[in-house]
Amino acid sequence: MPEKSLIFPSGEYRGRIRALQREMARHDLDALLLTTPADVFYTTGFLTRFWESPARPWFVVVPAQGDPVAVIPSIGAELMGRCWISDVRTWNAPDPVDDGVSLLADTLTGLVPASGRIGIPMGLESHLRMPVADFLRLQEMITPRRIADGTAAVYRVREIKSEAEIAKIRASCAVADAAFERVPEFAGQGVPLARVFRDFQVALLQEGADWVSYVAGGAGPGGYGDVISPADERPLQTGDVLMLDTGAVREGYFCDFDRNFSIGRATDDVRRAHAALFAATDAALASLRPGMLARDLHRILSEALARQGTKTGGGRLGHGLGLTLTEWPSVTPLDATELREGMVLTLEPGVEIAPGRILVHEENIVLRADGPELLSCRAPAEMPEILG
Amino acid sequence: MPEKSLIFPSGEYRGRIRALQREMARHDLDALLLTTPADVFYTTGFLTRFWESPARPWFVVVPAQGDPVAVIPSIGAELMGRCWISDVRTWNAPDPVDDGVSLLADTLTGLVPASGRIGIPMGLESHLRMPVADFLRLQEMITPRRIADGTAAVYRVREIKSEAEIAKIRASCAVADAAFERVPEFAGQGVPLARVFRDFQVALLQEGADWVSYVAGGAGPGGYGDVISPADERPLQTGDVLMLDTGAVREGYFCDFDRNFSIGRATDDVRRAHAALFAATDAALASLRPGMLARDLHRILSEALARQGTKTGGGRLGHGLGLTLTEWPSVTPLDATELREGMVLTLEPGVEIAPGRILVHEENIVLRADGPELLSCRAPAEMPEILG
C-alpha cells in the first residue's frame, strides 16, 4: 500500500509540524489555529481549487505536541482522508446555525489547557478566513483560553523552503520560462492585448501549469501605465512595450516573474531603462547574503537604479514567494525581516521612464549561504524585440 | 471624452449604492466597510487579478449618503482612477508600521458621527480581508463609533442581479457551454485526467474566458469519489464517468456548472442516476417561484430524487452565483433565505450511486417572476457517451 500522503512524502509534513511546534514553544503558544488555503496546504497537503468558493471555513489546529487535527466541511473528507493526518473532524457546511464553530471550540478545548494561548496569524499580510461573527463567538466559547498573535511562529517556519519545496517552485518557474519563450508566436503588432493574455494563459497550461492563478501585464508606447489592470482590446502597436507577469501554479507552488517585449525596435529610453533594471538585478544577485534585512535588499536595488540615473517608484521591489503568489517579507525601506538561507524571493526593480510610463523586471531566486541562486532563467540583457 | 467607468456605465454602480444605502438605513448603519474583491468590484468596478496577492488590504467605505470612498494601496491608484468614484485615498503598502489603518480610521471618523454604526459583512459565507490585529486596532481608533453586522445590508442587495449583471453571467455560461461541447475532442479512453483538466481550461480560454478561476471534476468507474480534488495522472478508462465543473470568468462574472460524460457506454445504474438528476432539475425548473425559501428548493430537489428511488448526500444542492463562484444562499434544509426575482442560482442535485460513487449535475438559472430561466444550455437528457 502506498504511503498515505499527497504532494510530498509524509516526512516533509512531519518536519514542518516539528518546526512549527518549536516556534510555538518559543512564543508560548499551546496551539495554532490555521484557516487559509496556504496554511492548510502547508500543514496537511490538502490541495484543491475549491477554496475559490467563499461559502465554507476550513480549520487546521496544530497542537503543542502531536499531529494536526483538521476540522473541515464534510465535502472535503474524501480528499483530506488521502492526506497524511489521521484526525479529521467534519460537519455539514454551510450551516446557518453553527458553521463548525462548536466542533472547532470542542477541538480547541480538548487540545489546549484552560490557561492556554492559541495563536492565529494576525499580522501584516495575513487574513483570517472565517466569518468575523463566528470568530467572536469562538473566542467566547474557548474562554479562558486566549487568542494570541501566532504570526511570527508561522512566518518564521513557512518562509524557509525545504529542498523539496524549492524543486516545486523551480518547476513552476520552468513552466513560465517555456511559455515566455513562445510569446513572439502570438504577440505582435495589431494583436489585441486581451488576446495576448488569453494565449499566454493557454501557453502556460500547455507547458505544464496545473492552473493559472495570476496573469497580469500591460502595454503602452515606451512603457505601461500600471501592472495590475485586466487586459483591454487595444491592439499592440509598434513602439509599445508589452509586459506579461504570471503566477502559474504546479503542484500547489507558484512562480511569479515577468518579461518585457518591445513591439518593433525599442526606443533609446526603453533600452536605458531596461539596462538599468538588468544592472540593478545584477547588483542584488552579486551582493545579497543571508543575514541582510529585507530593507537592505531594497537599498541595494534602489541605489543600483540611482547609479544608472533612473528612479524607482514608491512600491516594493520584491517579496517572498511559494504557496501564494506573494508572501512576506516585502522589499521596502521599512521591512526589517531577516533574509535567511532557504528563502525564495522575487527581485522586482521598477523604474519610471516618464510620468505614467513604467518598466518593471522580475526574477525568482532562492537565497543560498553564498548568495542568490536563480530559479527563473535570467531575462536577456537586451529587451527582446518582436518585429514585423 | 468617454464616461469614466469600468465594466458597466456609472448608472449601474450608482443604483447599487442607492440600494445599499436604503438597506443601511433599514439596519441603522451609518457606513459600510467593504474589504473583499467581490464587494470592492461591486461598488466601484475595480476588477483585477491582483487580489491573488495576500500582501495588501483594500477598503471601500460606503457612507449613508454620497459616493463611496476608496482607501487603497497606491499600486491600485491608476486602475481605481479609471473607475466611476472620485474620492480615492492611497497609502504606500505594505507598511509594517501602519498598513492603511490610520488612513482608514481617518476616513471613517470623517464620514460617520461619533455615535454611528459601521457595518461589515460578518455572517455566514463572509470574510474580512484584512489582518485581525489591524481590525482590532481600527476598532479602538474609531471609538466611540461601533462595528456592527452589515451582512444583511450587503447580501439583500448583491443577491438581486440587474439585467446588466444577468447578461454578464449568461455570457460566462455561454463560454462554458462552448467548451463543454468540445470535451469529446480531447477526453477519451486512455487520456490522463490531468491532461483533460488542462485541455478543458485551454478550451474555456479559447471560447472567451478572461481567466479560469475554477476547474474541478472527477472520474471513476460508474461514478466519482469526490468533486473537489485536483486531477491525477490516471488515464480515463471505459466505464468511467467523467465530470468537469467550471467557474470561468468573463468581465468579472462567473458561471458555475458541470457536465458528465460516459467513457464508453453508460451502465444502467449510471443512466438511472443521470435520469433522476435530470428529473429533479426538471421539478425545480417547473415549480420554483419567488417567495419560496432556499430550504424549499432543497425539499423540491430531494423529494424529486426520492421519487426516482435515488438518495442525495448531505451536501447543499445549489447556491447563489455571480461575482464569486458561489454566493449565498445555500440550498440546504436549514437555509431560510427568501428566493426573490433576479436571483441567480445553481441547481445542483447529486446522488450517491454506491458508497464512494457519486454523480452530480448542475445548471445555472435566474429566477424570474414566473419561475426559473436557464442561463446554461440544458444538459442533454441522456449522458453523452465518448466512444472509441
Side-chain angles (χ1 to χ4, degrees):
Chain A
M1 186 177 138
E3 187 193 40
K4 204 175 116 185
S5 178
L6 294 175
I7 309 293
F8 297 104
S10 64
E12 171 81 13
Y13 300 108
R14 291 185 191 280
R16 295 174 181 185
I17 299 303
R18 280 194 301 271
L20 286 169
Q21 287 168 337
R22 278 193 298 272
E23 286 296 317
M24 288 159 62
R26 284 190 53 209
H27 291 91
D28 195 22
L29 297 172
D30 300 282
L32 281 174
L33 169 60
L34 305 174
T35 64
T36 64
D39 285 340
V40 171
F41 175 48
Y42 187 73
T43 49
T44 66
F46 184 82
L47 178 64
T48 172
R49 298 185 81 179
F50 197 62
W51 293 99
E52 190 66 34
S53 164
R56 301 171 182 86
W58 304 71
F59 308 106
V60 167
V61 179
V62 181
Q65 284 98 31
D67 292 348
V69 178
V71 182
I72 61 169
S74 46
I75 196 169
E78 205 274 343
L79 180 58
M80 191 64 89
R82 286 186 272 137
C83 298
W84 74 281
I85 63 168
S86 54
D87 193 344
V88 179
R89 308 175 188 188
T90 65
W91 83 96
N92 210 347
D95 182 327
V97 179
D98 180 359
D99 208 26
V101 178
S102 296
L103 187 62
L104 177 60
D106 286 349
T107 302
L108 288 169
T109 53
L111 290 169
V112 176
S115 62
R117 286 157 41 92
I118 297 158
I120 63 169
M122 60 166 72
L124 194 72
E125 312 199 21
S126 78
H127 308 133
L128 180 71
R129 193 184 178 282
M130 70 182 289
V132 169
D134 283 354
F135 177 65
L136 298 175
R137 198 152 68 87
L138 178 74
Q139 279 188 300
E140 282 178 22
M141 292 173 77
I142 61 174
T143 300
R145 293 159 196 83
R146 282 160 301 148
I147 297 291
D149 191 346
T151 313
V154 174
Y155 283 18
R156 292 298 83 78
V157 174
R158 269 192 48 198
E159 70 193 13
I160 306 299
K161 269 55 179 179
S162 70
E163 290 304 321
E165 291 186 283
I166 293 165
K168 300 288 186 203
I169 300 170
R170 188 183 281 113
S172 289
C173 288
V175 167
D177 278 321
F180 280 126
E181 280 291 318
R182 288 174 50 191
V183 170
E185 296 172 17
F186 52 78
Q189 202 269 324
V191 182
L193 187 61
R195 202 165 99 201
V196 173
F197 273 39
R198 284 205 178 88
D199 287 345
F200 181 55
Q201 293 176 87
V202 167
L204 288 162
L205 290 162
Q206 288 172 339
E207 297 298 338
D210 294 332
W211 54 80
V212 181
S213 287
Y214 186 71
V215 158
Y224 26 86
D226 86 330
V227 294
I228 70 166
S229 293
D232 56 28
E233 293 294 335
R234 175 183 169 277
L236 296 176
Q237 293 169 15
T238 297
D240 278 357
V241 178
L242 164 69
M243 185 273 289
L244 292 169
D245 188 9
T246 187
V249 179
R250 195 176 159 90
E251 296 193 282
Y253 281 80
F254 280 76
C255 62
D256 178 20
F257 62 100
D258 70 18
R259 289 294 176 257
N260 290 282
F261 303 85
S262 178
I263 307 301
R265 297 286 175 206
T267 60
D268 284 347
D269 57 355
V270 166
R271 285 168 196 265
R272 269 193 302 271
H274 192 263
L277 293 170
F278 197 85
T281 307
D282 268 346
L285 291 173
S287 59
L288 187 64
R289 292 292 179 279
M292 290 179 174
L293 310 186
R295 65 188 179 206
D296 296 328
L297 176 53
H298 187 274
R299 188 176 35 74
I300 290 170
L301 288 165
S302 48
E303 286 179 359
L305 290 174
R307 278 196 300 276
Q308 305 286 323
T310 56
K311 192 171 146 286
T312 187
R316 62 180 180 175
L317 303 182
H319 52 79
L321 168 69
L323 284 79
T324 49
L325 176 70
T326 76
E327 296 181 359
W328 66 91
S330 288
V331 181
T332 67
L334 295 173
D335 195 315
T337 307
E338 184 185 350
L339 304 182
R340 294 185 294 151
E341 198 178 336
M343 276 189 173
V344 171
L345 298 165
T346 71
L347 303 177
E348 192 173 8
V351 295
E352 193 178 75
I353 300 178
R357 284 198 293 136
I358 60 175
L359 200 68
V360 294
H361 181 92
E362 194 171 16
E363 301 286 6
N364 296 163
I365 62 155
V366 55
L367 188 55
R368 302 295 193 182
D370 58 351
E373 174 191 338
L374 278 164
L375 296 175
S376 45
C377 286
R378 187 80 200 272
E382 305 264 309
M383 189 185 296
E385 295 173 337
I386 300 177
L387 306 174
Chain B
M1 185 177 138
E3 187 194 40
K4 204 173 115 183
S5 178
L6 295 175
I7 310 291
F8 298 104
S10 64
E12 171 81 11
Y13 299 108
R14 290 184 191 282
R16 296 173 180 185
I17 299 302
R18 279 195 302 270
L20 285 170
Q21 288 168 337
R22 278 194 298 272
E23 286 295 320
M24 289 159 61
R26 285 190 53 209
H27 291 91
D28 195 21
L29 296 172
D30 301 281
L32 281 175
L33 169 60
L34 305 174
T35 64
T36 64
D39 285 340
V40 170
F41 175 48
Y42 187 74
T43 49
T44 67
F46 183 83
L47 177 64
T48 171
R49 297 185 82 179
F50 197 62
W51 294 98
E52 190 66 33
S53 165
R56 302 172 182 85
W58 304 71
F59 308 106
V60 166
V61 179
V62 181
Q65 285 97 32
D67 293 347
V69 178
V71 182
I72 61 169
S74 47
I75 196 169
E78 205 273 344
L79 180 57
M80 191 64 89
R82 285 185 273 136
C83 297
W84 75 281
I85 63 168
S86 55
D87 193 343
V88 179
R89 307 174 189 187
T90 65
W91 83 97
N92 209 348
D95 182 327
V97 180
D98 181 359
D99 207 26
V101 179
S102 296
L103 187 62
L104 177 60
D106 286 349
T107 302
L108 288 169
T109 53
L111 290 168
V112 175
S115 62
R117 284 158 42 92
I118 296 159
I120 62 169
M122 60 166 73
L124 195 71
E125 312 200 19
S126 77
H127 309 134
L128 181 71
R129 192 184 177 283
M130 70 183 291
V132 168
D134 283 354
F135 177 65
L136 298 175
R137 199 152 67 88
L138 178 74
Q139 279 187 300
E140 282 179 24
M141 292 172 76
I142 61 174
T143 300
R145 293 158 196 84
R146 282 160 301 148
I147 297 291
D149 191 346
T151 313
V154 173
Y155 283 18
R156 293 298 82 77
V157 174
R158 269 191 48 198
E159 68 192 14
I160 305 299
K161 268 53 179 180
S162 70
E163 291 304 321
E165 291 186 284
I166 293 164
K168 300 287 187 203
I169 300 169
R170 188 183 281 112
S172 289
C173 288
V175 167
D177 278 321
F180 280 125
E181 279 292 317
R182 289 175 51 191
V183 170
E185 295 172 17
F186 52 77
Q189 202 268 324
V191 182
L193 186 61
R195 203 166 97 201
V196 173
F197 273 40
R198 283 206 178 86
D199 287 345
F200 182 55
Q201 294 177 86
V202 167
L204 287 162
L205 289 162
Q206 289 172 339
E207 297 298 338
D210 294 331
W211 55 79
V212 181
S213 287
Y214 187 70
V215 158
Y224 24 87
D226 85 332
V227 295
I228 71 166
S229 294
D232 55 28
E233 292 295 334
R234 175 184 169 277
L236 296 176
Q237 294 169 15
T238 297
D240 278 358
V241 178
L242 165 69
M243 185 275 288
L244 291 169
D245 188 9
T246 187
V249 179
R250 194 176 160 90
E251 296 194 284
Y253 281 81
F254 281 75
C255 62
D256 178 20
F257 62 100
D258 70 17
R259 289 293 176 259
N260 290 282
F261 303 86
S262 178
I263 308 301
R265 297 287 176 205
T267 60
D268 284 348
D269 57 355
V270 166
R271 284 167 197 266
R272 270 193 301 271
H274 192 263
L277 293 169
F278 196 85
T281 307
D282 268 347
L285 291 173
S287 59
L288 187 66
R289 291 293 180 277
M292 290 179 174
L293 311 185
R295 65 188 179 206
D296 296 327
L297 176 53
H298 187 274
R299 188 176 34 74
I300 291 168
L301 287 165
S302 47
E303 286 180 358
L305 290 173
R307 278 195 301 275
Q308 304 287 322
T310 56
K311 190 171 148 288
T312 187
R316 61 180 180 176
L317 304 182
H319 52 78
L321 168 69
L323 284 80
T324 49
L325 176 70
T326 76
E327 296 182 359
W328 66 92
S330 288
V331 181
T332 67
L334 294 173
D335 196 314
T337 307
E338 183 184 351
L339 304 183
R340 295 184 294 152
E341 196 178 337
M343 276 189 173
V344 171
L345 298 165
T346 70
L347 303 177
E348 192 173 7
V351 295
E352 193 179 75
I353 299 178
R357 286 200 291 136
I358 59 175
L359 199 68
V360 293
H361 181 93
E362 194 170 16
E363 301 285 7
N364 296 162
I365 62 155
V366 55
L367 188 55
R368 302 295 194 183
D370 57 351
E373 173 191 337
L374 278 163
L375 296 175
S376 45
C377 287
R378 187 81 200 272
E382 306 263 309
M383 189 185 296
E385 296 173 336
I386 300 177
L387 305 174

